Amino acid sequence: MELVVARIGRAHGIKGEVTVEVRTDEPELRLSPGAVLKTEPATVGPLTIETGRVHSGKLMLRFAGVKDRTGAEALRNTLLIAEVDPSELPEEEDEYYDHQLMDLDVVLEDGTEIGRITEISHLPSQDLFIVERPDGSEVMIPFVEEIVAEIDLEEQRCVITPPPGLIDEREAIVVSTRDEEAAAPGDATDAGDAADATSTDAADSGDKA
């Protein structure tokens, strides 16, 4: 199976080095010196990584046969593609390759169907599942332990426990309405109790921060 592992960015310096936008959780495995990668467009490759280093938080690569800035600039926006065994699993527990998660059925703990994973977005802060719902709309599910309860590759499903409003905005409206009703002033004692509770919450938040 072929997977996109990086996109080539700008040339760096005058000796053929380029920056790369990493699209794999295992750059040390997929983008190490000696790796031979296919490319998109295919006419540019294959490319063999000659050297690699991290500079100012960015991965820099140099490819065999690319000796100057002109050659490096010609590679800009090229996708680097690795051949991966479909049965291969990441070394870390509870980690998955994108192709293993694509098309998984997303359901709630009670079995309610939410949709199907059609895309995975890798953001600096977290990964997101883009889920297509039966009506054609999309919802973004953060891939975090608090929300994604189970990944079952054998059953091809992803079980989630979303907070109110993540899946259906109407849930958030209902919860908000209930909160407002609970906080509505009844008598002076109730109002005071509510104020104390709010203050306590604020203090707790400060402690956590």
Side-chain angles (χ1 to χ4, degrees):
M1 176 175 289
E2 295 182 348
L3 297 177
V4 174
V5 293
R7 182 181 67 85
I8 297 177
R10 298 178 178 179
H12 180 78
I14 60 174
K15 296 183 179 180
E17 201 171 41
V18 298
T19 63
V20 294
E21 173 192 318
V22 177
R23 296 188 180 181
T24 173
D25 291 332
E26 300 175 311
E28 69 285 348
L29 175 65
R30 307 299 177 194
L31 300 170
S32 60
V36 180
L37 302 168
K38 295 182 178 180
T39 61
E40 177 60 44
T43 54
V44 176
L47 293 174
T48 300
I49 298 176
E50 195 168 82
T51 64
R53 67 187 180 96
V54 176
H55 175 70
S56 298
K58 293 185 178 180
L59 180 61
M60 307 284 182
L61 298 179
R62 182 182 291 113
F63 300 98
V66 181
K67 302 299 183 183
D68 55 28
R69 187 177 184 88
T70 300
E73 283 289 1
L75 297 177
R76 190 168 182 177
N77 292 325
T78 296
L79 297 179
L80 300 176
I81 302 169
E83 188 72 33
V84 179
D85 184 340
S87 63
E88 183 180 340
L89 293 174
E91 295 181 357
E92 296 294 328
E93 188 177 355
D94 294 330
E95 288 189 358
Y96 305 88
Y97 292 129
D98 286 6
H99 71 271
Q100 295 173 311
L101 301 172
M102 292 292 290
D103 292 326
L104 291 188
D105 293 325
V106 179
V107 300
L108 301 181
E109 287 187 307
D110 63 5
T112 301
E113 179 185 0
I114 299 302
R116 177 178 60 89
I117 298 175
T118 57
E119 184 181 344
I120 298 166
S121 179
H122 299 285
L123 303 180
S125 58
Q126 64 185 10
D127 295 332
L128 291 175
F129 293 159
I130 310 302
V131 178
E132 181 179 315
R133 308 198 67 178
D135 63 3
S137 62
E138 291 184 338
V139 61
M140 293 184 292
I141 307 294
F143 188 16
V144 294
E145 186 178 355
E146 294 80 6
I147 296 176
V148 178
E150 179 185 4
I151 297 289
D152 190 333
L153 296 180
E154 289 189 5
E155 295 294 330
Q156 286 290 287
R157 70 173 189 168
C158 167
V159 180
I160 63 173
T161 55
L166 181 62
I167 301 300
D168 191 339
E169 293 181 357
R170 289 174 296 180
E171 296 178 10
I173 294 174
V174 171
V175 172
S176 176
T177 301
R178 289 174 179 169
D179 290 344
E180 289 176 1
E181 291 175 350
D187 52 38
T189 302
D190 292 339
D193 291 341
D196 289 341
T198 302
S199 299
T200 301
D201 290 342
D204 290 343
S205 298
D207 291 340
K208 292 178 181 177

